[in-house]
Amino acid sequence: MPSTVLVGTQWGDEGKGKITDLISSDYDYVVRFQGGNNAGHTVIADGKNLALRLTPSGVMNPDCTPVIGNGVVVDPRVLAGELDMLRENGISCDRLVISCDAHVIMPYHIALDGAQETRLGKHEIGTTKNGIGPAYQDKAGRTGIRIQDLLDEAIFREKLETALDYKNQLLEKIYHLPTFTVDQIMEEYLPYADMIRPHMAETAQLLNTALREGKNILFEGAQGTLLDIDHGTYPFVTSSSCCSGGAPTGSGVGPKAIDKVLGIMKAYITRVGSGPFPTELFDETGELLGQVGGEFGVVTGRKRRCGWFDAVIARYAADVNSLTDIALTKLDVLSAVDTIKVCVAYEADGQRYDYFPMQHSVLYPKNVTPIYEELPGWKGVDISECRTFDELPANAQAYVEYLEQTVGVPMSIIAVGPDREQTIFRNWSAR
Ligand code: IMP
């Protein structure tokens, strides 16, 4: 049963898109298992940059079946736009499969996402305002609308009436916002049912059958470990299970079906949105990493906060995901700095934390002092043309080996630039 889960190990934006594109040709299926259009990555087709937010990147490969699993929340407006954009660029979307159990993002989810953030004021999460959290709230609250509900007009109407009865009161009485009518939403959403119908399937059955036939499956995670609803820096997280454990629940295969877990780890670390970030740099080095690394969000365009590699987080991510391999990305960006720092532990209240702390208050700048190890850099040496580990400057090799030893997981892939070719494969194989 050859299958791999690919996950982000930091706060998202680790470069998962590039690695997924790179390895997806080794897989028969590429499956999204959580999140929605809060994710975003750029793929390159015929020299053009295309931004994908919802569609699994396997759509770019004609021999691969892209699957949107049950754990995903689907905004049909975004899906329609994305499929149109792909078709206009000559990419067939016919193979796309969408789980009948995936939940649907409704217009009131988007309105409530913005309203809840405004209400939180200075405590806002910094969400992407795409309705992700409110859609998962309804899923857990058992008032959500699933893909299969869209396809039966009577069921859709009934569920929508029940949902709107409450949502409209929230919008009007608590948030003083415009309300929605059932007819208005039905009129907009029913045509989406026609778009989705040919793609809908029982994806658990599809994937388990594929595994029995010896097909190779890649589970493509979105966001990252520290944005996971359970294992992240709660409440500054997204509302889904971004860790490898989310792949079985979000797709309908059992945990024994997973044999590799590839964690994507940036050679430094970034975060968008609010929340604690122990190694955040507020100085010119942080600015420099952001500029050289092009650290702006694909979905929101927001500037990412930048900091040094945090080995405490990396070790935690290795544990909670059972990482078997790491892809280290953006190593080339570190050519811009003199000395490189790696946070090996935290100090707070006179105590040392080598492991991710139980109390997240430790992670806040007013409490935490990161304990750094300093390593010599390779400033000014362009490593973007290196294609083997041995071609890297000695200090870059030493940096990778140091991280590998500190984290305890092999770094099987190293990215030295955004292009596909700008990659060093060490010990990676899909099977
Ligand atoms: P939501 O997922 O829109 O609810 O946002 C919750 C938190 O997750 C916010 O801090 C977002 O900035 C963050 N987030 C969501 N998706 C991504 C992503 O793809 N990359 C990085 N951060 C993300």
Side-chain angles (χ1 to χ4, degrees), residues 11-13 16 37-40 113 117 125-134 222-224 227 235-239 271-274 299-300 302 304:
W11 279 287
D13 308 315
K16 293 182 292 293
N37 57 298
N38 48 349
D113 198 350
E117 282 286 86
I125 311 290
T127 75
T128 59
K129 299 207 172 90
N130 287 314
I132 308 292
Q223 289 87 44
L227 290 172
F236 300 103
V237 293
T238 190
S239 302
R271 166 163 215 175
V272 276
S274 326
V299 174
T300 58
R302 287 182 294 177
R304 297 176 186 146

Side-chain angles (χ1 to χ4, degrees), residues 341-358:
K341 292 188 186 178
V342 175
C343 169
V344 291
Y346 307 138
E347 198 177 88
D349 286 335
Q351 212 185 316
R352 183 182 163 112
Y353 296 86
D354 292 285
Y355 198 75
F356 203 64
M358 186 170 72

Side-chain angles (χ1 to χ4, degrees), residues 90-150:
I91 294 149
S92 165
C93 301
D94 297 350
R95 291 160 292 115
L96 176 69
V97 182
I98 304 173
S99 165
C100 53
D101 293 330
H103 278 245
V104 182
I105 298 181
M106 307 300 290
Y108 47 82
H109 291 140
I110 298 168
L112 286 169
D113 198 350
Q116 288 173 2
E117 282 286 86
T118 308
R119 192 176 167 85
L120 283 172
K122 70 178 170 66
H123 299 297
E124 68 164 13
I125 311 290
T127 75
T128 59
K129 299 207 172 90
N130 287 314
I132 308 292
Y136 280 114
Q137 278 172 347
D138 278 1
K139 175 177 177 174
R142 291 153 297 174
T143 51
I145 292 176
R146 290 176 301 167
I147 288 287
Q148 57 183 285
D149 301 326
L150 289 184

